[in-house]
Amino acid sequence: MRTLNLGILAHIDAGKTSLTERLLYAAGVIDEVGSVDDGSTRTDSLALERRRGITIKSAVVSFAVGDVTVNLIDTPGHPDFIAEVERVLSVLDGAVLVVSAVEGVQAQTRVLMRTLRRLGIPVLIFVNKIDRRGADTDAVLAAVRDRLAPAAVAMGAVDGLGTRDARPVPYTAADPEFVAGLADLLAEHDDAFLADRLDRLDHASDVPYERVRAELAAQTARGRAHPVFFGSAITGAGVGALTAGLTELLPATAGDAQGPVSGTVFKIERGPAGERTAYVRMFSGTVRVRDRLRFGHVAGGGRSGVPGDGPGDAAAVREGKVTGISVFEDGAAMPAPAVPAGRIGLLRGLAGIRIGDRVGDPDLWAADGHHFAPPSLETVVVPRRAGDKGSLHVALGQLAEQDPLIDLRLDELRQEISVSLYGEVQKEVVQATLADEFGIDVTFRETTTIHVERVIGRGEAVEVIKKDANPFLATVGLRIEPAPPGAGVDFRLGVELGSMPYAFIKAVEDTVRATLRQGLRGWAVIDCVVTMTHSGYWARQSHAHAVFDKSMSSTSGDFRNLTPLVLMDALRRAGTQVHEPMHLFRLDVPADTFGALLPVLAGLRAVPRAPRPQGDSYVLEGTVPAARVHELEQMLPTLTHGEGALESAFDHYEPVVGPAPERPRTDHNPLSRKDYLLQVQRRVGTEAASAGQARAASQSR
């Protein structure tokens, strides 16, 4: 049986979850269509999702269409939860992009479609809410072709538009205008089809409709054409035609169940006892219960420019035993002895597995690029009860496992924990989750914009064992220099790989990446090359009877503790400049409000391009600092009489203008050498005390 792993994506409130319910009902999986407003939908299972009426976490549910099993993945529509969509994209065979017939093409719709097209994921478009007053399918179809996909193909018309009785009327072979228009569009994208059509026209005939439909399916699978269906998720109108289109136009796959094991983890859940369940899309091979399975990640596939995600990392491989498997059947996850290629399985027993990990043969692992912009906001999380500080760190660590883009950051000196955010709604979700699942009540500091630092010169530093007040049994020399934008952090060896144990070299590399999360002015240092120029260690020493003497032998801890001192010295000599995130914006505003808008944009440090007239309105694009986007959103309704539309997304970083590059962050300044060494001393003392207590407890048993 073939499998289609299908994503349902949309701007918030376009009707994505309602469409999911209707598809499940039409397939006989559920007996009654759930309501988002009533909190009774199958895929919105979290209490907060039901209260807010929005999707926060992706959810998987399955149904059968003929000989195809459809694993349907419902994703969030709110831009604050774009990270959930991010993880789903890597496992999709195809997608349905839902657009409202009333609101039309919205900001998030464009972001999603650009990404889907860039990744070559086949997309069907479903224009929902044709039964709503104000529905305008002609305007929406024109906007789809203008803003989303020029090769959008309307698969029918609508009768009774804007009424409860609205029904789509599908085009057929008996509609010559549709067939000819479709053939013309397809011929623009395929030379062989064009040649066939021209040859037939020379003989006073045309391409058979069956051949046209087959070519439409082929071009849809290649992401060149995008069929558009009309309907209503509430009434069920048009859902049958969409369901048929899923199996006819999107590429289902059987996969190679006998091949080498390869899959991707796109979601992690924790059970009542804290055990992890990994949602894995299998691309090749078969995983069985009790299999020993390798898993890990390929560095360099994360957020571009973020320390720790640069090229040059090797795959980090771990291994575990699969203790249980479930697969999706008829709307539910059912226990199974195995999960084969093409399917989505829930794997249990793999301690330490994370979102984004690959499973199976490491030779088949490839790094995924980051599809959406990283979060540009952050906030400090503060427990209301001082005694919850330790528990809060553990709890946020678990949340970060489920959402890596939370990007947990601990300021050890001030004992403050910061998390990255896409928006304010995420705060509410984090707060509710901590209260409901961990019993921790928290508040937040004011949300601030995340800046970054770029290296502006070249700097070198070296510390030699037992020289110049170096208290560690390690020699480390590092050189840092700038790299092109988007290159990430690249760690290189300027010493022989065999000059010391690999564990010590790896300790230096890992610590370099961790240290660069906070540069000279408190922001993460991005896009640079760090080269290890010197290395040295004391080989393992022991007293009589082979008792290990740590005071005479280098350990990985020596290199982890020394590396930050050397790296920060090199960074000071190189120098850094603070950069702020810039958003690309698009404004649709009435023509009579355009003049009043320009001085406001100038005050927000926006840089607009030449305006483009569009009917009785103007389209204005440009860049604006991310920190000012929220202000623009709040001012726009007043400035445009409620008729203006804004969409924005992260585009790039620019140097901060004015004195800010010289002004450090007040809450995350780098430590002095003295403070750093005291901190290391305290940490080492605490670790030694904990180890001593553990040994004493073991001996008493």
Side-chain angles (χ1 to χ4, degrees):
M1 193 169 188
R2 296 179 300 150
T3 302
L4 172 65
N5 294 298
L6 177 73
I8 305 288
L9 295 83
H11 186 99
I12 189 171
D13 290 334
K16 166 185 50 59
T17 300
S18 296
L19 177 60
T20 298
E21 287 289 306
R22 182 59 68 173
L23 288 168
L24 295 177
Y25 178 75
V29 171
I30 55 178
D31 298 326
E32 184 178 358
V33 177
S35 167
V36 173
D37 293 336
D38 296 339
S40 57
T41 58
R42 171 66 69 93
T43 52
D44 285 345
S45 57
L46 297 178
L48 187 60
E49 289 179 316
R50 296 180 183 276
R51 289 200 303 269
R52 288 292 304 263
I54 60 174
T55 301
I56 295 171
K57 294 290 185 182
S58 59
V60 182
V61 66
S62 69
F63 59 91
V65 181
D67 66 341
V68 176
T69 294
V70 179
N71 287 326
L72 190 154
I73 309 175
D74 184 22
T75 63
H78 197 290
D80 280 15
F81 309 108
I82 194 68
E84 282 291 312
V85 182
E86 167 88 36
R87 293 184 279 275
V88 167
L89 292 178
S90 62
V91 305
L92 296 182
D93 299 313
V96 173
L97 185 65
V98 184
V99 179
S100 169
V102 179
E103 288 81 10
V105 174
Q106 296 167 282
Q108 187 76 346
T109 320
R110 296 189 71 198
V111 172
L112 293 169
M113 188 62 176
R114 279 198 301 266
T115 305
L116 290 166
R117 293 189 67 189
R118 186 171 70 248
L119 297 175
I121 296 174
V123 180
L124 305 184
I125 297 172
F126 184 74
V127 178
N128 190 27
K129 303 183 181 182
I130 62 171
D131 58 319
R132 286 264 307 276
R133 180 180 299 178
D136 188 341
T137 52
D138 289 341
V140 171
L141 187 60
V144 165
R145 288 171 175 160
D146 179 49
R147 302 184 189 180
L148 300 183
V153 182
M155 302 303 290
V158 178
D159 278 348
L161 182 65
T163 71
R164 186 71 177 178
D165 297 324
R167 293 288 183 274
V169 180
Y171 294 136
T172 67
D175 298 300
E177 187 176 337
F178 164 69
V179 176
L182 178 57
D184 286 342
L185 185 145
L186 297 175
E188 293 177 7
H189 300 286
D190 189 278
D191 291 343
F193 184 78
L194 173 63
D196 185 19
R197 186 155 193 250
L198 292 175
D199 182 62
R200 290 176 182 272
L201 288 175
D202 288 342
H203 294 83
S205 63
D206 208 341
V207 180
Y209 184 63
E210 293 76 13
R211 170 83 169 88
V212 174
R213 292 289 294 207
E215 182 63 24
L216 174 61
Q219 291 198 22
T220 301
R222 295 197 298 270
R224 295 181 179 176
H226 303 286
V228 179
F229 295 86
F230 299 101
S232 168
I234 296 299
T235 67
V239 172
L242 175 64
T243 302
L246 297 179
T247 54
E248 177 196 0
L249 301 173
L250 294 180
T253 179
D256 182 7
Q258 306 305 316
V261 172
S262 177
T264 294
V265 179
F266 66 94
K267 181 176 178 176
I268 295 288
E269 285 184 348
R270 280 184 176 267
E275 69 278 10
R276 301 187 197 192
T277 297
Y279 285 64
V280 180
R281 158 71 197 268
M282 295 297 299
F283 292 99
S284 174
T286 300
V287 174
R288 298 174 176 82
V289 177
R290 293 186 292 278
D291 277 357
R292 298 291 301 180
L293 187 64
R294 287 182 291 177
F295 59 92
H297 69 282
V298 180
R303 291 180 287 149
S304 175
V306 173
D309 288 349
D313 286 349
V317 183
R318 288 155 286 163
E319 187 174 289
K321 182 178 180 180
V322 179
T323 59
I325 294 175
S326 297
V327 296
F328 291 94
E329 299 282 355
D330 296 326
M334 308 294 291
V339 53
R343 301 296 297 273
I344 291 175
L346 277 62
L347 306 186
R348 290 176 287 278
L350 303 177
I353 197 165
R354 303 176 301 175
I355 288 174
D357 276 358
R358 304 299 194 275
V359 302
D361 185 353
D363 291 339
L364 301 179
W365 298 353
D368 277 344
H370 189 81
H371 311 308
F372 298 106
S376 59
L377 304 172
E378 72 171 359
T379 186
V380 174
V381 188
V382 182
R384 291 187 186 273
R385 297 183 297 270
D388 283 341
K389 277 190 176 181
S391 301
L392 175 61
H393 188 247
V394 173
L396 285 172
Q398 291 190 15
L399 293 186
E401 291 172 359
Q402 300 172 40
D403 186 353
L405 290 184
I406 281 181
D407 196 21
L408 193 65
R409 190 158 57 84
L410 175 64
D411 184 329
E412 293 187 359
L413 182 64
R414 296 164 184 83
Q415 290 299 297
E416 292 177 346
I417 304 172
S418 297
V419 295
S420 299
L421 301 170
Y422 277 100
E424 293 296 313
V425 177
Q426 250 184 310
K427 279 186 179 179
E428 182 183 345
V429 173
V430 171
Q431 187 177 45
T433 304
L434 290 171
D436 295 345
E437 297 185 13
F438 301 95
I440 302 173
D441 193 12
V442 300
T443 59
F444 300 92
R445 301 262 180 86
E446 181 182 357
T447 301
T448 57
T449 304
I450 298 174
H451 291 58
V452 298
E453 296 180 41
R454 290 191 191 277
V455 179
I456 57 177
R458 173 172 167 156
E460 295 189 50
V462 62
E463 295 263 1
V464 180
I465 293 178
K466 290 300 183 182
K467 287 186 179 180
D468 300 324
N470 175 6
F472 306 109
L473 300 185
T475 293
V476 174
L478 297 170
R479 180 175 64 247
I480 189 166
E481 50 200 325
V489 175
D490 187 2
F491 181 82
R492 299 175 181 175
L493 287 181
V495 298
E496 292 292 332
L497 184 60
S499 62
M500 64 180 185
Y502 177 71
F504 295 168
I505 294 176
K506 190 69 171 69
V508 173
E509 178 181 0
D510 291 345
T511 308
V512 162
R513 297 184 183 282
T515 303
L516 288 177
R517 292 170 66 85
Q518 183 176 316
L520 299 181
R521 296 174 177 88
W523 302 106
V525 180
I526 67 171
D527 301 333
C528 60
V529 177
V530 180
T531 305
M532 189 173 181
T533 58
H534 296 76
S535 65
Y537 72 104
W538 282 3
R540 183 182 179 93
Q541 303 290 324
S542 62
H543 294 301
H545 310 296
V547 177
F548 174 59
D549 187 347
K550 184 177 180 180
S551 67
M552 299 171 58
S553 310
S554 299
T555 67
S556 295
D558 288 304
F559 288 90
R560 284 193 296 269
N561 290 326
L562 179 60
T563 296
L565 289 174
V566 179
L567 182 60
M568 293 306 289
D569 281 346
L571 198 60
R572 288 187 187 95
R573 291 165 185 165
T576 65
Q577 185 175 33
V578 176
H579 286 59
E580 64 179 328
M582 303 294 292
H583 276 217
L584 189 67
F585 72 85
R586 173 190 167 112
L587 279 166
D588 290 87
V589 298
D592 61 348
T593 67
F594 178 70
L597 186 63
L598 290 179
V600 173
L601 291 174
L604 297 174
R605 293 197 291 120
V607 181
R609 300 169 187 164
R612 189 172 74 250
Q614 186 170 289
D616 58 355
S617 65
Y618 276 105
V619 174
L620 187 63
E621 297 180 337
T623 58
V624 62
R628 312 306 292 271
V629 170
H630 185 58
E631 286 181 66
L632 181 56
E633 289 173 338
Q634 290 182 315
M635 299 166 68
L636 192 63
T638 302
L639 290 168
T640 63
H641 314 306
E643 297 181 19
L646 168 69
E647 51 189 85
S648 72
F650 171 83
D651 188 60
H652 66 283
Y653 290 103
E654 282 188 5
V656 175
V657 178
E662 303 308 320
R663 187 178 67 246
R665 290 176 72 191
T666 57
D667 57 338
H668 288 285
N669 299 338
L671 298 177
S672 67
R673 181 184 182 97
K674 178 181 177 181
D675 287 338
Y676 174 76
L677 292 175
L678 287 173
Q679 189 183 92
V680 170
Q681 188 177 22
R682 285 196 299 269
R683 184 173 69 242
V684 171
T686 301
E687 291 171 353
S690 298
Q693 291 170 1
R695 283 194 299 271
S698 176
Q699 291 169 359
S700 66
R701 286 195 297 268

